[in-house]
């Protein structure tokens, strides 16, 4: 008798959390464009790198869910995984690269004292590096300054089949501790050894974010097969309290911490939020879930849109830094979000990995394909 694999429920709270991270990244880059004087306004956009850390944990979580359900085996092998990743990530990325390149060489080619304008002009070397996805090993954030994290995540993806094999062989808690410790040691060793290509630019976070990706894998393992401790923490509302306490700690204290420590604490908070029933209910707010569905597109194209609105719409009005910042947040952010949704329909949705992968039961009979619960993302929104 054929045994059907259980169909996975879409996890709306993952999309909601992804939306919050994407919106914080946009707010951070609005801050970098305007540099408001108000400390309160500056705090709104002060967690951009931490938001990328949240994306990395979510990516590890979402990619690992179907693998964990299959006994920590990739159904179509490493080559199939790489093919699906390439189809999902690269078409929108190259479309955003073309759009950003057009803007940087035409309507937004004038250097300005903004995060966009400070990285002009561009060279053919810059173009080649971004086409090859090696821009995380450079110190120039030209063409589109958000692309460094796409390269970092793609490099982590290359190691995913090896991580899955290691997870299947070793205890998950041991591998979690080993992954986080090893990435931290490698990061500081590269700095001490004087290899700037490994601790400057986006590569400064490659090892640290690899550890956070393993944290996401650990969260997926708890979701698929909860430990007795995890179930007890849920029944006693400890996950809820931990998620709330960590969020307060992140918002109050991490602004004075190093970027590495800030990313680490937000990564741990993401693990708690993914396990907290209360956080899940809050994050399943429909507008957040909707934005989370195209958060990859929002991440890819928001930088030139911020510069466009500021340079041609707000800067000529001479409103002052604080008023300009509020205008970009309250008026520009909705415009940027709608534009990202349009970009998603044109350049991302046609390449969604919606075709199910055939799965077979242990006895070898045909199984009903299980749908990936939620698209992971470089960060961002990849299924």
């Amino acid at each position: 008798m054929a045994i059907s694999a259980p169909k996975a429920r879409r996890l709306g709270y993952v999309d909601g959390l992804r939306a919050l991270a994407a919106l914080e990244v946009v707010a951070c880059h609005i801050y970098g464009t305007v540099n408001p004087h108000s400390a309160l306004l500056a705090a709104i956009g002060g967690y951009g790198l931490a938001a990328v850390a949240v994306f990395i944990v979510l990516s590890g979580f979402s990619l690992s869910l179907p693998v964990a359900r299959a006994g920590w085996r990739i159904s179509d092998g490493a080559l199939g995984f790489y093919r699906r990743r390439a189809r999902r990530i690269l078409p929108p990325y190259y479309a955003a690269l073309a759009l950003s390149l057009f803007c940087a060489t035409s309507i937004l080619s004038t250097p300005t004292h903004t995060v966009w304008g400070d990285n002009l002009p561009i060279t053919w070397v810059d173009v080649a590096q971004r086409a090859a996805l090696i821009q995380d090993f450079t110190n120039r954030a030209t063409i589109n300054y958000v692309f460094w994290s796409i390269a970092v995540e793609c490099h982590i993806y290359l190691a995913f089949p090896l991580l899955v094999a290691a997870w299947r062989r070793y205890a998950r808690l041991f591998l979690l501790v080993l992954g986080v410790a090893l990435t931290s040691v490698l990061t500081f060793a590269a700095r001490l050894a004087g290899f700037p290509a490994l601790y400057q630019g986006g590569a400064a976070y490659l090892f640290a974010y690899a550890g956070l990706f393993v944290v996401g894998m650990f969260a997926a393992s708890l979701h698929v097969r909860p430990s007795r401790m995890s179930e007890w923490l849920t029944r006693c509302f400890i996950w809820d309290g931990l998620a709330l306490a960590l969020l307060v700690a992140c918002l109050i204290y991490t602004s004075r911490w190093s970027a590495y420590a800030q990313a680490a604490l937000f990564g741990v908070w993401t693990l708690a939020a993914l396990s907290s029933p209360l956080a899940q209910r809050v994050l399943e707010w429909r507008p957040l879930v909707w934005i989370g569905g195209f958060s990859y597109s929002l991440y890819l194209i928001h930088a030139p849109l911020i510069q466009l609105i500021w340079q041609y719409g707000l800067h000529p009005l001479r409103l002052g830094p604080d008023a300009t910042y509020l205008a970009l947040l309250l008026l520009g952010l909705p415009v940027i979000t709608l534009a990202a949704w349009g970009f998603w329909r044109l350049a991302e949705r046609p390449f969604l990995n919606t075709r199910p992968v055939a799965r077979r039961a242990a006895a070898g009979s045909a199984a009903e394909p299980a749908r990936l619960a939620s698209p992971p993302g470089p960060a961002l929104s990849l299924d």
Side-chain angles (χ1 to χ4, degrees):
M1 181 178 64
I3 301 175
S4 296
K7 190 172 184 179
R9 177 179 65 89
R10 185 175 182 85
L11 305 181
Y13 58 86
V14 176
D15 283 329
L17 187 52
R18 189 176 293 119
L20 286 181
L23 293 173
E24 173 57 29
V25 169
V26 178
C28 173
H29 293 147
I30 290 175
Y31 167 79
T33 299
V34 178
N35 293 312
H37 296 155
S38 169
L40 177 61
L41 294 179
I44 296 175
Y47 301 95
L49 287 173
V52 176
V54 173
F55 275 133
I56 297 296
V57 176
L58 291 177
S59 184
F61 175 77
S62 299
L63 278 177
S64 299
L65 277 178
V67 177
R69 293 190 182 105
W72 289 100
R73 284 176 171 81
I74 302 175
S75 59
D76 52 350
L79 291 180
F81 169 78
Y82 293 143
R83 184 169 56 250
R84 286 184 283 111
R85 289 298 88 201
R87 172 182 168 83
R88 183 63 184 87
I89 299 170
L90 296 184
Y93 169 75
Y94 285 124
L97 176 60
L99 175 64
S100 302
L101 186 59
F102 167 77
C103 292
T105 56
S106 58
I107 56 177
L108 298 179
S109 61
T110 303
T112 57
H113 295 296
T114 63
V115 63
W116 176 276
D118 288 344
N119 290 290
L120 296 173
I122 63 174
T123 67
W124 284 110
V125 173
D126 298 326
V127 177
Q129 288 171 342
R130 278 136 195 86
L133 281 165
I134 58 172
Q135 64 268 21
D136 51 336
F137 289 99
T138 71
N139 293 325
R140 281 179 55 79
T142 186
I143 301 181
N144 189 324
Y145 48 79
V146 307
F147 284 171
W148 67 270
S149 65
I150 307 299
V152 167
E153 190 156 0
C154 286
H155 293 153
I156 296 174
Y157 286 163
L158 293 176
F160 183 66
L162 294 177
L163 290 173
V164 170
W167 201 279
R168 188 169 61 246
R169 183 177 179 87
Y170 301 104
R172 60 188 182 185
L173 183 58
F174 171 77
L175 188 60
L176 172 68
V177 175
L178 178 64
V180 174
L182 184 61
T183 52
S184 300
V185 169
L186 289 174
T187 300
F188 288 107
R191 181 178 294 274
L192 290 175
F195 295 119
L198 295 180
Y199 65 82
Q200 294 180 3
Y205 302 96
L206 177 57
F207 297 131
Y209 283 168
L212 292 177
F213 187 88
V214 175
V215 172
M217 296 177 67
F218 179 71
S221 71
L222 291 180
H223 180 86
V224 173
R225 185 174 295 179
S227 65
R228 291 182 179 179
M229 176 63 73
S230 179
E231 291 177 338
W232 179 80
L233 292 174
T234 301
R235 286 196 304 270
C236 296
F237 306 103
I238 294 178
W239 277 127
D240 295 335
L242 185 60
L244 182 60
L246 284 173
L247 179 61
V248 172
C250 287
L251 297 179
I252 292 177
Y253 296 109
T254 58
S255 61
R256 298 188 292 270
W257 293 4
S258 70
Y260 294 102
Q262 187 183 96
L265 187 56
F266 269 90
V268 175
W269 170 76
T270 305
L271 170 63
L274 289 171
S275 305
S276 164
L278 176 60
Q280 291 172 8
R281 288 194 294 270
V282 172
L283 292 168
E284 286 181 342
W285 187 41
R286 287 189 176 183
L288 284 180
V289 174
W290 176 68
I291 295 174
F294 58 90
S295 58
Y296 184 33
S297 291
L298 178 59
Y299 189 88
L300 286 173
I301 69 166
H302 73 269
L305 296 179
I306 290 174
Q307 181 70 14
L308 187 68
I309 295 172
W310 174 84
Q311 186 168 322
Y312 291 101
L314 295 176
H315 182 60
L317 300 179
R318 308 291 182 184
L319 298 176
D322 291 349
T324 302
Y325 186 44
L326 284 174
L328 270 172
L329 278 179
L330 300 179
L331 302 177
L333 184 55
V335 173
I336 293 170
T337 302
L338 289 176
W341 176 76
F343 181 87
W344 171 81
R345 291 182 62 90
L346 294 174
E348 185 179 351
R349 188 173 69 167
F351 301 97
L352 291 174
N353 291 322
T354 55
R355 295 180 62 185
V357 179
R359 303 180 187 275
R360 296 187 178 276
S365 58
E368 179 184 350
R371 184 173 180 269
L372 177 62
S374 183
L380 306 203
S381 185
L382 315 173
D383 56 0

